[in-house]
């Protein structure tokens, strides 16, 4: 059940039996010469819809743009500053918490969002308490990174070994190929690829990782792999969602 | 050309011949008993894609959640505060302006966004000047409200007269029916509908407009009407976009 | 009744029979070679005092400086950023709302304030609700732009036709001449005047409108015209104020 | 020379020979049973105009509303929070500093503004440096509190002794009587008056100072005293302004 | 009783008989060629501990970094902007106020903190009221500047006359020598020292005060003097603390 | 070399040969019935001093108060909101970066700080780039959590097994016992201890972890263990610091 394709009456009815909602969050940032700029949002959204179907859960609209400041030296990348993203997440959750939602299950497609999301959750709990909302202290946010699912991680290792890398990975590229087969890209990928440098500012990042990839070989990706990743992630996160929403 | 389905190399190539980008912006808010909560984002996104195809322009990801504080007494509605939305728009535009984009064409689906968007544009111009960006003073934002296109407005009047109303209108509902025929909703619509009250806070809004509609009869909407609205809006806004982007 | 010339005991007594207050808001910005920098504040203040007298309403101090970032390439112009102005308006209204005022009637002299004021109203309603103030949901803000009064608009068209322009207009200059006859300015006005360009950043504005006027011929203004504009605006806005304050 | 009654061409000419500007700042807050709510702004504005005339200096519009949170339990009082006031002062000074003003002479009528103004000056200097404005490091703000002028203080002691008190004082009331003789108020003043308590929050303030006065007897004020205070303050602050603006 | 060396159970027990807490605040900024960068924090912390022992009061951790923007042209100086420091102080006090503390006794070692601290207190009182905390209106903050204690001031005058100066003073240097005898520094001090200039921006400050001292001769300091200053300040502030915390 | 015990001339000399600085950061929060509220700051500070001595590095003052909102239902706990902490870290780093420091080595004692610190680093890099500082793109922040050092972790497992827990752990308590043997606390510890619940808001945390411990048995701690932890952490982090500061 997609929030965007529902009416408020349907949401009101949904709230009678569940206070859980899935919040997909991605990013809009370079993903190497062949990866889509929307990769992280596409993956999060596809998996979130899959989890929503599997669990009858409500799925909110995808947060397309996350914390990707370190990618902004590549054209087409967009980012919020962390403190703005905290504010955004806080306001989204607050609107829904006022309507009696209490369990917020974030399905995240971008490693760069993790720290800021965790910070946002802390800030949100305190904000809700300050508003004196009834049940403020029952609001809970869960961070589910699809690419860190055990089953996903294992398959990526099997298929790609250390060519999985850590950005513009074949696993995420494969998933976008499965979702958007019409947007599979071809471009020369130099065999040498930046690897092992830490992430600091945007200019430094581009110096270290000149084509945007971090140790990955996305040429290994196939849509069939993508389908496998999709199914593993949906299965694992559906299980996690149900535990979360049915938990105390 | 959708930013989310492009690579950074494609964006770099695009920038060689154009500095224009289309920014769809909608909202996530109640649209009466039968209107989709995502109506404004769905309309903006569909039309933006159409304009992008017609003009070969790049289309950024849709801003799904806008300024809809007055709708937040209905469950499922989400909103940014105006000052947060200003910050968000400023950061989106700044990222792209640093990459040399200068013409930002917002296609907007929600009347409640207009004031905050205009304020955001002003704040953004000043911010870019303060950053000492080269060409900061060439950055221009345009606000194109699809529902205020002359041709759209005229058709709505012809088809619906004063039953068009001003929120949860048959024209916007029709457009969503055209885009998502699988999500056409049925619900009883009382013949009496709130009309003519000004908009203040969220509680007051719900008191005045108890089912969420503002003077409209969305039961008049059909997917065929939606197709007509879509085509008129795409045609008119494509023309406007080209004038804007080719202007001085 | 001017708030600045009242005591708190008088305000307390006033609140026994009315919860309305008039909030004049102008700007401090260039108005062409002969227009006063304070034009918009002078007009708003004069009319607000007139409305206050005609309706026995309390008039708050004039907000002298508004959102005029696009004028700031001309010396003497001052502006708040929109997000700061939102904060300011929110705090002003909140102070008075805590004292039980509920009807805030803004008399505005500057087109550039409109978007930010509307955004500020939305932000304020939500803020008051979050404060859990009793009667927060009865607070209402009205935006009355004197220059958009029907009677004012019609007279300006009659007197000046398209030489009214849209900034540093003869109508507003006339009104300042009526209020401050000792400050009528003379300066050469080139017959060619910028016209028809949209407003973006401050540098761009000055390039398009090199002497600050937007399509206007303020040399047509006379203090007698100013008196007429004043009287029309006071009459029309007094009527509107009473409707607003006596409305549900 | 009042900024509000000048044109931008006049300001441009003024900047050829002076970079100084007078910034009056007051407050909008209760001043006891007989003192005007606008007392602090009225005093600051009147004296600023006097100093402007005496020194040929430009006078900016009065900041009517300052930091008066502790007075807000009395109806009609308005206040900015300190952090908002810092932002406001910073933006005002920045606009003028970009136009080449460097010497900002604040004439202040409210003790409660002092701390926040000093904080605002510090924040502004750092902000201007961060903007990389040429001459940012020559910008200087001066805080001139009229009620702390040596000559004013001495006269108040002579006329009123310890009945001067520290809020709603006969000296400031006298000055408003001189400026607005038509607004001299009468109300019973209990012989017992709060005295000697420190200032904390608004509710506590009203508990300590139930009629708003702090140890003062404003019934001693006369318009003639007001004229004396006005003249002393104008003379002393004119001297100080010239030293400031002509200093290194 | 140091908060950092206590358990929460001990704090809970403390609250049974006292709601007072001592908040030491210093700065991290240049103190001339021989003064320690931590001078202001060291002095505040040492005296706060002394007062805590003398009065059995709880002492919170020292705020090491304050408002020292004007010193930041000297390497090693650190500062918060005033609006950030306001936020920090507000959040510290709010945490403790929610735990039922009501009397906050700031022992301050840096003149540059005074204005911002006072502003922060005002902002905090209003914030606590907005949170609808029970007893919000009983929260009181006191600003105790050790260097302005009567007894301290008098001794400094006796020992150093006008060589006390106003920054990097022998009195504060002496106190640090008493606390950290192992960190007594030697460096040439030119007999000429900047004196009498007002404080504006950081670049200007360094131009006026090239070695960082303001009119002082810290070579006069001895650890024995430091001991005297310490004892005087502890005695006087202990007395003040008890009056404050036992007051209504 | 401690910044607080240095002069600005010494810092200037230090910068000739190193641009590295150690930034200890802890927290002020409950640590169970026997753990010190300052545990995290005490550990970070002690280790930071040790690393500074071992590597001749400059050590900045300890950030005593971090992100501990979830502990604030226990009296004595203090916290910044994440967005405030981001601002604070940004301003600290910016001050030092303007003085030419480029390598910021944070030694952290509190797991709850990690997310916010990472977010702060990202925000800071972008801020420095916006300031157009020379070498902004060379600024690097490193997050060294002492309790996650491999050698520390291993010893804790050996000594305590799963009684290490995850808050108010015997390892951190041991370290504080080593540093402050005079502040070793005794209190009954129930054999049952909360374990395995995720962290959400403050009220929920206290419900799950009623005495503040998370699965730990701090009664196992001894000062001798503390000495071992201290030495392991200093050794390992000294090595890491040198790699970081000597890296490209
Ligand atoms: Ni990715
Ligand atoms: Ni709509
Ligand atoms: Ni105007
Ligand atoms: Ni006053
Ligand atoms: Ni000092
Ligand atoms: Ni800990």
């Amino acid at each position: 059940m997609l929030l965007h394709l529902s009416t408020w009456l349907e949401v009101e009815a949904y709230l009678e039996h569940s206070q859980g909602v899935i919040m997909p969050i991605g990013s809009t940032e370079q993903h190497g010469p062949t990866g889509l700029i929307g990769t992280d949002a596409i993956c999060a959204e596809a998996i979130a819809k899959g989890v929503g179907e599997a669990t009858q859960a409500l799925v909110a609209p995808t947060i397309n743009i996350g914390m990707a400041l370190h990618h902004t030296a590549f054209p087409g990348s967009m980012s919020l500053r962390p403190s703005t993203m905290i504010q955004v997440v806080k306001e989204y959750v607050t609107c829904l918490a006022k309507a009696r939602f209490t369990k917020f299950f974030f399905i995240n497609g971008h490693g760069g969002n993790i720290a800021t999301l965790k910070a946002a959750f802390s800030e949100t709990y305190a904000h809700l308490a300050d508003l004196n909302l009834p049940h403020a202290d029952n609001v809970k946010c869960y961070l589910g990174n699809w690419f860190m699912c055990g089953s996903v991680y294992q398959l990526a290792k099997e298929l790609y070994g250390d060519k999985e890398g850590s950005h513009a990975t074949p696993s995420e590229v494969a998933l976008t190929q499965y979702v958007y087969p019409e947007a599979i890209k071809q471009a020369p990928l130099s065999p040498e690829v930046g690897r092992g440098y830490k992430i600091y500012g945007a200019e430094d990042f581009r110096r270290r990782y000149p084509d945007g990839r971090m140790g990955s070989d996305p040429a290994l990706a196939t849509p069939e792999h993508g389908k496998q990743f999709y199914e593993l992630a949906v299965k694992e996160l559906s299980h996690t969602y149900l535990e979360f929403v049915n938990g105390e």
Side-chain angles (χ1 to χ4, degrees), chain A:
Chain A
M1 179 179 170
L2 301 182
L3 180 59
H4 257 209
L5 298 187
S6 307
T7 66
W8 74 265
L9 289 171
E10 290 169 339
V11 175
E12 195 166 65
Y14 175 91
L15 280 162
E16 292 303 307
H17 62 87
S18 176
Q19 286 73 51
V21 58
I22 296 173
M23 312 282 287
I25 177 165
S27 183
T28 296
E29 65 185 44
Q30 68 82 17
H31 270 78
T34 58
L36 305 181
I37 284 176
T39 294
D40 298 349
I42 291 164
C43 295
E45 182 166 297
I47 293 164
K49 286 179 179 172
V51 174
E53 283 162 18
T55 63
Q56 306 296 316
L58 186 68
V59 182
T62 304
I63 303 175
N64 292 306
I65 294 175
M67 208 314 287
L69 288 173
H70 47 297
H71 292 295
T72 52
F74 292 90
S77 299
M78 298 171 71
S79 180
L80 292 173
R81 293 180 310 125
S83 52
T84 305
M85 183 169 143
I86 288 172
Q87 197 64 22
V88 165
V89 170
K90 185 178 81 176
E91 296 186 12
Y92 286 2
V93 171
T94 299
C95 285
L96 294 171
K98 287 180 177 175
R100 284 184 296 136
F101 287 94
T102 56
K103 298 286 184 70
F104 296 85
F105 191 78
F106 284 77
I107 293 187
N108 177 37
H110 173 48
N113 287 340
I114 294 174
T116 300
L117 271 177
K118 287 183 177 172
F121 295 167
S122 299
E123 185 135 340
T124 300
Y125 301 134
H127 177 66
L128 294 173
D130 280 352
L131 289 179
N132 299 313
L133 277 197
H135 308 305
D137 60 341
N138 288 329
V139 170
K140 297 179 181 179
C141 298
Y142 185 94
L143 177 49
N145 302 297
W146 76 266
F147 51 90
M148 290 168 72
C149 286
S151 55
V152 166
Y153 187 82
Q154 189 177 338
L155 178 62
K157 279 296 151 213
E158 281 168 21
L159 292 173
Y160 314 125
D162 74 349
K163 297 197 169 176
E164 167 73 353
S166 53
H167 182 66
T169 62
S171 60
E172 63 182 345
V173 168
L175 208 154
T176 64
Q177 290 179 340
Y178 169 59
V179 179
Y180 287 108
E182 70 276 25
I184 298 179
K185 309 282 171 156
Q186 305 298 340
L189 291 170
S190 83
E192 275 150 40
V193 58
R195 181 186 292 277
Y197 296 105
K198 290 201 161 245
I199 296 175
Y200 303 106
E203 291 302 328
D204 184 74
F205 184 96
R206 185 154 183 179
R207 227 156 35 215
R208 301 306 183 184
Y209 298 106
D211 74 357
R213 290 176 298 149
M214 298 177 74
S216 68
D217 183 1
L220 302 174
T222 70
E224 292 71 29
H225 293 169
K227 184 166 187 289
Q228 289 179 273
F229 285 116
Y230 169 80
E231 286 167 354
L232 289 171
V234 167
K235 186 173 173 194
E236 190 165 329
L237 287 172
S238 294
H239 183 74
T240 311
Y241 173 76
L242 291 172
E243 278 191 336
F244 172 63
V245 85
N246 295 326
E248 228 178 318

